[in-house]
Amino acid sequence: IETGMDFIHSSGIQMTHYLQENYQSSQAWFLFISFAADLRNTFFVFFPIWFHLCEAVGVKLIWVAVIGDWLNLVSKWILFGQRPYWWVRETGYYGNASSPLIQQFPATCETGAGDPSGHAMGSAGVYYVMVTALLVQIWQLQEWGSCLFPRCCCGACPENTPQILLIE
């Protein structure tokens, strides 16, 4: 199992190195994407907005955030993966070859297990819920010309407009 985890860690290091080398100018964008969908913003910003627009999406956001964070915690207990910035310096995986140089940022200076990434898992779940809700609304608007957000996904559309339910 250690060999498999070393391969997974080295793949993550290679991806991190590639992103840092080729997308250095996008650093602020990546940090914003990670920050925008963290648990605090999900609970205090996205949930109230989406709950007002469509109750079902707001509730779905809360469930995805809570269950996703719990699954991340359990996965970290099981895998107990090291943070890439620590692993690359402590491993013997690279042998005599030089290990890739990766930069560390304030957002990545957390302690504790690092695999799987809570930022990646949390952001992916929250963005998935919001993007699919938006896509359904856009599709509904194009298909039937009905309202974009006046609680259509929750059953408040006019009687003659077909309704698409996000959760039921």
Side-chain angles (χ1 to χ4, degrees):
I1 193 163
E2 192 170 326
T3 305
M5 286 305 292
D6 282 345
F7 176 74
I8 291 171
H9 284 307
S10 70
S11 299
I13 294 293
Q14 288 175 349
M15 178 60 72
T16 301
H17 182 71
Y18 176 81
L19 289 172
Q20 288 180 353
E21 288 290 317
N22 296 300
Y23 295 96
Q24 186 69 29
S25 61
S26 301
Q27 174 187 345
W29 174 248
F30 287 128
L31 289 173
F32 171 75
I33 291 296
S34 179
F35 167 76
D38 70 359
L39 283 178
R40 180 183 49 231
N41 290 335
T42 299
F43 287 119
F44 295 119
V45 177
F46 294 134
F47 169 72
I49 291 170
W50 278 102
F51 192 80
H52 175 71
L53 294 174
C54 182
E55 185 178 323
V57 176
V59 170
K60 195 174 188 182
L61 269 176
I62 292 294
W63 278 110
V64 164
V66 169
I67 291 174
D69 193 48
W70 181 79
L71 286 173
N72 182 262
L73 181 64
V74 169
S75 299
K76 286 182 187 230
W77 285 342
I78 293 170
L79 297 175
F80 201 70
Q82 294 187 27
R83 300 214 166 257
Y85 309 97
W86 301 345
W87 180 84
V88 75
R89 291 185 181 105
E90 296 175 2
T91 187
Y93 181 79
Y94 295 103
N96 292 332
S98 62
S99 59
L101 297 174
I102 55 174
Q103 300 171 18
Q104 191 168 0
F105 301 99
T108 60
C109 288
E110 299 172 2
T111 58
D115 259 341
S117 169
H119 294 278
M121 283 181 69
S123 295
V126 168
Y127 284 127
Y128 175 79
V129 170
M130 292 190 301
V131 168
T132 54
L134 282 173
L135 290 175
V136 166
Q137 289 297 309
I138 290 169
W139 178 72
Q140 183 177 355
L141 183 64
Q142 290 176 345
E143 190 73 20
W144 290 295
S146 60
C147 52
L148 186 60
F149 275 118
R151 303 181 73 79
C152 286
C153 60
C154 299
C157 284
E159 298 167 1
N160 57 355
T161 305
Q163 298 184 9
I164 296 175
L165 301 176
L166 292 176
I167 298 176
E168 289 242 2

